[in-house]
Amino acid sequence: MLSYLTDDFYNWTRKVCRNALLKVLAAGPVPHHIAFVMDGNRRYARMNHKLAQQGHTDGYETLTKMLEVCYYLNIKCVSAYAFSIENFKRDPEEVNALMRLAAEKLGELSQHGSLLDQYGVRLNIVGRKDMLPEDVQVAARQVEDMTRHNTRAILNLCMPYTSRDEMTTAVQSAVRNALKSDPPNLEITEKDIDAEMLTNLAGSPPVDVLIRTSGVKRLSDFMLWQSCEDTQLHFTPTYWPDFGLTEFIRMILDYQRKAWARSSS
Amino acid sequence: MLNFRLSVLLFIHAIYALTAKFLALWRRQHQREPLPLDAPRSKIPRHLAIVFDLDSTRHDKIEEESLFKSVYNSIAWCEAAGIEKLTLYDNQGVLRNGSALVRDHLSHLHPEIDSSESELEYPLTPPHSDDCDSRSISPDVDIRVDLHTITLNTRPPVPSKRRSVARKRRGKDTPKGPPSLQIKIISRQSSKGTLAAAARSMAARRHKLQSILRDPTPQDFCISIEDLNLLLEGEEGFTSPDLMLLHSLKPPIAPVPPPELLGFPPWQIRLTEISYFPTPILGLGPCSGGPQALTLDERTFRAALDEFSGAQMRLGK
């Protein structure tokens, strides 16, 4: 009984301290858009003698925690690389398990009173939705429709996504728009292509910070267009399910140093 | 209340800066010496890109000298390590404007070989995807995209039909060249703008075809990733580097800022490993605008090769 009470007290104190710390951080400039490459779920599972699926479930928990932190920091947009088009090459059993997890979690998110509902977050599924199994497509449509009118923040779940696919689609759309305009305006610019990027169509601001976990130092076909210019890249050795507030705060501090240096010059 | 929070935040920043300085000092004393340039490694990059971060407010002789010194050194290290392609990029276009200097350096280095320079790269017209649009393609209309790259070759001229006669005449006496290295100098112009240029060319071609065919219900324009890739990375195009080394000529203080890609072409960095080993100056204040400009050192270059040889490539699996 006493241990339950101490546990409760500990958790309560922790939450109060965390929220106070986040309020302090929010007193400085915060990124408008953070992108996560949630890498290392399977290696985390192997290291902790868990099934790969459990690793993905724990990874989802981390995402929820991070979204909460971003919400308290007033970060307007979060993008997460949930599933790459290339991931379809994985073991079918694992792909099916991931799709079941996606359908289940999207279903939960579309419930009233869910995290998105509570925080006023609009959810966009960014990528080739047509490649998803039918039940996931239905769940995705439901949650997108339900959150369409939320304006406080944006969550882009990139699945199944690759940046080259996104860039190709953007080029294709820009060419189609140019040909359809009357009279045809064939002078397509960088801006026209930028406007056709899926993230921009979903109303996202430019990516300020990109975080990749698990020690891999490459972008792996994620947000190449959006992060090749003015984006701080953070590569951390931590596996995604272990990613926590301490590392996240360091990234916010780095962003604040950049924002202050820019405004003073 | 906001002032109080801001004061606490500034205090956190001070602690962070102090901790980062101590950590940088500790790391400097405990860092492992990277392997020599020509040491056997499990893998070496075939194509290396070096991205130089220049101070946009500076543009002085000292910075330019450091930049070109870094470039000349890198060429020698690449040859020593057996790297085949070197792409050089800087965020201010200084290298592109000064490409003649690099060419002169190469001709001094290897007087026996002509360092050929070509301004424009026109890859082949890509075949169109099969799922749509295939009916209206005319092989007479070529797509051309200027990738704005400058190629400097230190390798013997590639045998082509035109050159085969000359090669035959030279026969066995063809001099043994130095280790072959192809150098490409690119700038911000080779970046996002090349996708817009590709789109313009394709739109112009399609428009021309539509007006020739006078089709009242033209099919929607379609392009695949492979088509676009052939246009941007084709045989003569600018291919994706295996490893990218980011180097800032601005001396950073601890905590060092996180890496940024500074406008490097987005299409070509899909699977590129990114290396970044900034050496912080452990002073007390910011060092911007100072007379120093950090030349890339061999140790950093070797450390990047070491890191690359240990990198895992899983390709989505």
Side-chain angles (χ1 to χ4, degrees):
Chain A
M1 180 69 187
L2 192 65
S3 78
Y4 277 122
L5 277 177
T6 36
D7 277 0
D8 280 355
F9 181 70
Y10 171 74
N11 287 336
W12 179 80
T13 323
R14 222 178 117 123
K15 206 167 179 179
V16 168
C17 289
R18 187 199 71 170
N19 291 352
L21 182 62
L22 293 179
K23 276 189 178 148
V24 166
L25 282 175
V30 289
H32 299 96
H33 186 170
I34 297 190
F36 291 106
V37 182
M38 307 180 293
D39 200 11
N41 289 346
R42 290 182 304 167
R43 275 167 285 165
Y44 158 88
R46 268 200 300 275
M47 205 177 71
N48 292 290
H49 310 291
K50 291 179 175 182
L51 290 174
Q53 283 138 271
Q54 187 57 42
H56 292 305
T57 313
D58 291 358
Y60 178 78
E61 291 302 316
T62 309
L63 178 64
T64 321
K65 271 187 230 156
M66 279 301 124
L67 289 178
E68 208 175 9
V69 169
C70 290
Y71 173 79
Y72 279 114
L73 280 176
N74 288 324
I75 291 167
K76 287 280 167 264
C77 182
V78 172
S79 294
Y81 201 3
F83 195 82
S84 156
I85 294 175
E86 300 282 321
N87 287 154
F88 281 115
K89 290 181 193 164
R90 285 185 181 176
D91 173 25
E93 206 176 307
E94 194 188 338
V95 173
N96 289 339
L98 271 168
M99 289 300 143
R100 274 200 304 277
L101 180 72
E104 181 196 325
K105 296 300 174 191
L106 286 171
E108 276 177 25
L109 286 173
S110 62
Q111 301 296 313
H112 283 286
S114 76
L115 194 74
L116 304 178
D117 202 29
Q118 212 179 324
Y119 295 158
V121 180
R122 173 182 163 181
L123 184 127
N124 302 307
I125 303 292
V126 171
R128 293 281 301 277
K129 282 180 247 188
D130 56 302
M131 292 174 87
L132 292 169
E134 191 54 39
D135 59 331
V136 183
Q137 282 190 41
V138 171
R141 250 195 313 273
Q142 253 177 3
V143 69
E144 277 186 325
D145 287 345
M146 202 202 87
T147 61
R148 187 173 292 160
H149 304 291
N150 291 343
T151 52
R152 279 206 61 172
I154 297 171
L155 168 64
N156 296 318
L157 267 188
C158 302
M159 59 183 277
Y161 171 92
T162 63
S163 189
R164 278 195 173 182
D165 179 74
E166 185 190 26
M167 286 190 273
T168 308
T169 314
V171 166
Q172 181 174 284
S173 307
V175 172
R176 284 182 185 178
N177 293 344
L179 291 168
K180 273 181 201 149
S181 58
D182 191 25
N185 176 16
L186 306 179
E187 274 310 300
I188 301 166
T189 63
E190 214 175 288
K191 266 192 183 164
D192 297 321
I193 298 191
D194 191 58
E196 293 299 326
M197 289 289 149
L198 294 172
T199 48
N200 290 345
L201 290 173
S204 318
V207 181
D208 293 314
V209 175
L210 184 141
I211 296 168
R212 177 157 195 173
T213 52
S214 91
V216 178
K217 293 183 177 177
R218 56 179 178 264
L219 298 178
S220 299
D221 224 339
F222 182 61
M223 301 258 174
L224 307 178
W225 177 278
Q226 292 88 338
S227 51
C228 75
E229 246 159 319
D230 196 22
T231 307
Q232 292 191 324
L233 308 177
H234 286 276
F235 299 108
T236 163
T238 315
Y239 295 142
W240 174 250
D242 284 329
F243 185 79
L245 196 60
T246 322
E247 279 178 282
F248 190 72
I249 289 172
R250 195 168 61 79
M251 286 150 198
I252 299 293
L253 294 180
D254 281 334
Y255 174 78
Q256 291 183 332
R257 285 167 62 86
K258 175 182 168 181
W260 278 329
R262 192 166 279 184
S263 63
S264 69
S265 64
Chain B
M1 191 65 182
L2 189 69
N3 274 346
F4 170 72
R5 283 183 194 154
L6 198 60
S7 313
V8 179
L9 181 61
L10 291 176
F11 177 71
I12 293 175
H13 270 279
I15 302 275
Y16 176 47
L18 207 64
T19 322
K21 278 186 184 68
F22 276 117
L23 273 175
L25 197 66
W26 187 84
R27 275 198 203 114
R28 193 175 289 182
Q29 278 164 357
H30 291 84
Q31 60 192 358
R32 200 169 50 92
E33 185 60 28
L35 296 171
L37 275 178
D38 54 355
R41 290 180 170 84
S42 59
K43 58 173 180 171
I44 59 156
R46 287 183 62 201
H47 182 180
L48 169 74
I50 307 182
V51 175
F52 294 100
D53 183 8
L54 305 184
D55 195 337
S56 58
T57 58
R58 214 171 139 155
H59 294 308
D60 61 8
K61 201 92 191 129
I62 301 171
E63 192 183 54
E64 210 172 297
E65 274 170 12
S66 286
L67 174 67
F68 282 97
K69 196 176 166 196
S70 304
V71 166
Y72 302 153
N73 287 342
S74 308
I75 291 171
W77 300 329
C78 283
E79 287 184 333
I83 291 167
E84 292 168 26
K85 275 185 181 177
L86 172 65
T87 294
L88 300 163
Y89 176 91
D90 72 275
N91 53 342
Q92 305 295 326
V94 176
L95 286 172
R96 192 182 152 80
N97 294 336
S99 62
L101 291 173
V102 183
R103 195 186 48 203
D104 289 349
H105 173 78
L106 287 176
S107 50
H108 279 120
L109 211 60
H110 305 299
E112 70 281 13
I113 283 170
D114 285 343
S115 303
S116 59
E117 179 173 329
S118 59
E119 265 278 339
L120 304 179
E121 299 277 338
Y122 288 134
L124 302 169
T125 308
H128 260 251
S129 45
D130 294 326
D131 51 345
C132 61
D133 208 40
S134 52
R135 65 179 176 144
S136 55
I137 299 302
S138 154
D140 302 326
V141 195
D142 274 358
I143 289 182
R144 303 206 151 176
V145 179
D146 182 359
L147 296 171
H148 295 283
T149 64
I150 295 174
T151 309
L152 302 168
N153 263 324
T154 66
R155 66 177 71 205
V158 179
S160 68
K161 278 179 190 167
R162 250 185 313 146
R163 285 174 182 159
S164 58
V165 180
R167 271 177 63 84
K168 271 178 195 162
R169 216 174 284 153
R170 261 193 266 155
K172 284 175 191 170
D173 297 324
T174 310
K176 256 197 168 179
S180 54
L181 175 69
Q182 188 190 61
I183 300 163
K184 270 190 200 286
I185 298 176
I186 58 166
S187 64
R188 180 65 180 76
Q189 280 180 298
S190 315
S191 189
K192 291 180 176 177
T194 55
L195 269 94
R200 276 198 299 276
S201 306
M202 288 184 285
R205 177 171 79 162
R206 176 45 97 90
H207 182 62
K208 201 171 172 186
L209 282 169
Q210 278 180 1
S211 47
I212 293 169
L213 296 170
R214 293 209 179 115
D215 189 348
T217 53
Q219 270 190 2
D220 268 344
F221 169 81
C222 287
I223 186 165
S224 70
I225 297 176
E226 291 73 28
D227 293 343
L228 203 50
N229 193 45
L230 203 60
L231 208 55
L232 299 168
E233 283 205 14
E235 214 174 309
E236 289 300 310
F238 159 52
T239 54
S240 296
D242 304 309
L243 171 66
M244 175 195 279
L245 174 58
L246 299 170
H247 176 72
S248 176
L249 275 87
K250 300 178 263 186
I253 58 157
V256 289
E260 296 191 23
L261 299 178
L262 311 168
F264 193 85
W267 187 267
Q268 281 87 351
I269 48 173
R270 188 171 78 101
L271 297 173
T272 303
E273 292 288 334
I274 299 165
S275 274
Y276 176 61
F277 301 98
T279 321
I281 304 293
L282 300 171
L284 289 173
C287 300
S288 59
Q292 271 181 298
L294 289 181
T295 308
L296 179 64
D297 63 345
E298 193 193 304
R299 201 174 188 289
T300 305
F301 190 91
R302 287 189 279 134
L305 292 185
D306 281 358
E307 190 176 68
F308 180 80
S309 68
Q312 267 187 29
M313 194 66 84
R314 297 189 310 280
L315 299 168
K317 290 185 179 175

